[in-house]
Amino acid sequence: MSVQTVESIEGFRKVLDEERRAGRTVGLVPTMGFLHDGHASLMRRAAAECDVVAATIFVNPLQFAVSEDLSSYPRDLAADQRLAEAAGVTWLFAPPVEEMYPGDVHTTVTVAGESEGLEGEIRPTHFAGVATVVAKLCNIAGPCRAYFGEKDWQQLQVVRRMVADLSMPVEVVGCPIVREPDGLALSSRNAYLSAAERRAATVLHRALRAGADAADPVEAMRRVVAAEPLAELDYAEMRDGRLLVAARLGTTRLLDNLAWEGPSDNHKALEG
Ligand code: AMP
């Protein structure tokens, strides 16, 4: 079945209400568009687990600070429609900004704890913007399973907490990170990278791999990023057994994360 694009809140709410009334379960995949295979993996998973898949494309101004890349964020709706259709999406909600935010926003959702540190420290208003738009999308879509990538690990924790704390009728599903063959995590922002920056961008994954079986993972990650002249480290940290790294390559910020496995038996044997 071909993908159908809906621009109005009322229209999107109506088609998903009708799907549920017909007994079908709904999978929701929120995105900012300029879709790649990471997004497609979420859509395919939703298609495997739900009767009908709805994806959303909305570059949410609320989650960008004034200094950030809102106006230059890459967009290509025609290509997104093709990718979404191939990945099993039936409904594509692509509202204009005025539809989502017709006037001043007086109500926002703040998730304490999960939003603090890491991205939250560097982008202080970011997660309130994310939580608010995800709350709106869930309120519009209605009861569903909602698919989010582990690529944005902290965001996934923020969304899980919001859904639990506010008793939203949504089951959050986290999906593994999709990478390029050289380890770089797929991201719409990879399109910003120059050829030299693209080559250097593998440093995030290299740092995580170095940290994954190190006794001092933070030190190991810092050392790998410091050795890459084109990369500027924002943070390398461990939280809840997860290694998280963010770095700038020129003006492009990239994120990645990986489970920490602890020192391998090999190392332990060597250390005696
Ligand atoms: P974005 O369009 O960047 O807001 O991403 C939309 C959703 O796709 C989020 O849940 C992301 O975590 C997820 N996503 C983005 N890149 C990847 C990736 N490389 N692998 C898995 N999920 C991803």
Side-chain angles (χ1 to χ4, degrees):
M1 192 176 152
S2 62
V3 71
Q4 306 218 45
T5 305
V6 182
E7 293 195 354
S8 76
I9 290 172
E10 198 192 343
F12 190 51
R13 181 173 275 147
K14 190 162 154 270
V15 294
L16 295 188
D17 278 345
E18 279 167 10
E19 296 285 10
R20 278 182 298 263
R21 213 172 302 125
R24 289 189 276 272
T25 59
V26 172
L28 183 72
V29 184
T31 82
M32 298 205 297
F34 210 68
L35 302 176
H36 50 65
D37 200 49
H39 299 112
S41 74
L42 271 52
M43 294 167 181
R44 287 191 297 261
R45 171 94 173 260
E49 297 178 354
C50 310
D51 296 321
V52 63
V53 180
T56 71
I57 294 181
F58 183 60
V59 183
N60 172 34
L62 225 56
Q63 71 191 66
F64 288 77
V66 278
S67 58
E68 293 177 352
D69 58 343
L70 173 63
S71 59
S72 59
Y73 197 84
R75 295 159 210 250
D76 187 345
L77 183 60
D80 288 351
Q81 287 166 325
R82 288 192 293 274
L83 182 144
E85 179 166 322
V89 173
T90 299
W91 301 106
L92 198 58
F93 180 47
V97 172
E98 314 78 67
E99 178 72 3
M100 290 293 274
Y101 302 117
D104 291 349
V105 176
H106 289 202
T107 308
T108 56
V109 180
T110 312
V111 180
E114 285 79 1
S115 296
E116 287 154 23
L118 303 168
E119 288 301 289
E121 189 162 330
I122 288 165
R123 309 178 72 187
T125 60
H126 174 66
F127 285 124
V130 169
T132 302
V133 81
V134 173
K136 281 172 73 79
L137 292 170
C138 290
N139 280 336
I140 297 164
C144 61
R145 285 200 191 106
Y147 293 79
F148 291 86
E150 291 179 349
K151 160 77 177 13
D152 300 280
W153 181 263
Q154 193 179 9
Q155 167 176 286
L156 175 60
Q157 311 315 314
V158 167
V159 169
R160 280 194 194 286
R161 186 63 185 230
M162 173 187 74
V163 163
D165 282 354
L166 298 183
S167 307
M168 300 175 77
V170 173
E171 185 191 323
V172 176
V173 182
C175 304
I177 302 175
V178 176
R179 302 175 178 285
E180 299 283 2
D182 66 2
L184 176 65
L186 267 57
S187 165
S188 306
R189 288 192 169 97
N190 292 351
Y192 296 146
L193 300 169
S194 70
E197 288 164 353
R198 169 64 188 82
R199 283 192 295 275
T202 58
V203 70
L204 282 87
H205 186 240
R206 286 189 277 118
L208 291 167
R209 279 206 335 242
D213 61 0
D216 186 346
V218 169
E219 159 63 21
M221 291 190 287
R222 290 212 172 116
R223 205 174 335 108
V224 171
V225 178
E228 174 48 69
L230 291 185
E232 201 69 56
L233 184 68
D234 272 346
Y235 59 77
E237 288 184 34
M238 177 147 87
R239 182 186 281 193
D240 301 331
R242 198 89 191 162
L243 305 177
L244 299 113
V245 65
R248 279 164 287 130
L249 286 106
T251 54
T252 307
R253 276 193 86 238
L254 299 179
L255 315 183
D256 204 345
N257 66 85
L258 194 70
W260 183 62
E261 289 156 9
S264 67
D265 290 343
N266 247 350
H267 292 178
K268 278 182 211 149
L270 286 173
E271 283 158 13

